[in-house]
Amino acid sequence: MGSPLLSTLPSALAPTVWLMEAFVALATGWAGLAIVFVYSLVLGIVVLPLPSELVLLAPIDLGLSKTARLALTVLVSSLGKALGSVLVLRFSISVRESDPVRGRIERVHFRFHEWTRIVSVRMAGRYGYLGMALVLSIPLVPDTASVYAFSVLEDDYLRFSIAAFAGSVARLLVVALLLEGTIGL
């Protein structure tokens, strides 16, 4: 599969990404939107080294214009990410009641996600929910690690979900614009 995403990722991730691309390639019609939602929800909860931008390649065909299809895909994916982030926040709030737990969470080293975690904690402390949205809007940066990092410091469900939604929309639109010029999304 000659995917533009495969060429940008480490070779160790290629089989997993290829499998996910194959799964997303099945995302047609209304059922395809459900696949996009579930994929985005899972990536919003579980720290996986998979690109959330993959949903943009879903061949969803609902008889809509290309722009309307893109808008619907971005909306459904971002709603999945927002719901996933709220579930992460709910879990985080229930776990971080004690200082020892919070200290352990802040000291966790993800190796692959280390840079994201550090930047996310700094952005959360300095810019709050706007910082979260900005970090989540950076294409191909592991966004689940950012969500977990922000969930340690924040506790407003509505603002958290809005920031996750806005960051996801911005990220997908940036990638869609880039892909439009390279593969004619």
Side-chain angles (χ1 to χ4, degrees):
M1 184 178 268
S3 164
L5 289 175
L6 287 178
S7 64
T8 63
L9 294 171
S11 61
L13 294 178
T16 304
V17 173
W18 181 85
L19 181 63
M20 293 311 295
E21 283 185 348
F23 180 65
V24 170
L26 299 173
T28 60
W30 292 105
L33 286 176
I35 290 171
V36 165
F37 180 83
V38 169
Y39 177 80
S40 299
L41 174 69
V42 169
L43 286 184
I45 299 171
V46 183
V47 179
L48 293 173
L50 297 173
S52 59
E53 297 86 350
L54 190 59
V55 298
L56 295 172
L57 301 176
I60 295 172
D61 183 14
L62 300 171
L64 303 172
S65 70
K66 191 162 101 172
T67 303
R69 181 191 63 80
L70 175 64
L72 193 56
T73 301
V74 168
L75 175 68
V76 169
S77 177
S78 298
L79 287 172
K81 280 305 207 62
L83 178 58
S85 71
V86 167
L87 294 174
V88 167
L89 180 62
R90 174 118 170 104
F91 173 75
S92 178
I93 288 172
S94 67
V95 168
R96 67 181 153 130
E97 296 296 319
S98 68
D99 287 336
V101 170
R102 183 176 177 160
R104 285 187 185 139
I105 290 172
E106 290 175 349
R107 285 190 304 271
V108 168
H109 295 282
F110 288 104
R111 290 186 191 163
F112 180 68
H113 300 294
E114 181 63 16
W115 176 82
T116 304
R117 185 185 65 81
I118 291 168
V119 169
S120 297
V121 170
R122 284 184 189 155
M123 293 287 282
R126 188 168 193 182
Y127 301 107
Y129 297 104
L130 176 60
M132 178 180 165
L134 291 173
V135 168
L136 292 176
S137 68
I138 303 170
L140 298 177
V141 168
D143 50 348
T144 308
S146 299
V147 168
Y148 275 94
F150 276 92
S151 72
V152 172
L153 303 172
E154 305 296 343
D155 60 2
D156 186 315
Y157 289 103
L158 180 61
R159 289 182 180 172
F160 199 82
S161 64
I162 290 170
F165 179 82
S168 295
V169 167
R171 171 193 204 113
L172 291 173
L173 290 179
V174 165
V175 172
L177 289 171
L178 293 173
L179 290 177
E180 175 64 30
T182 59
I183 65 170
L185 178 68

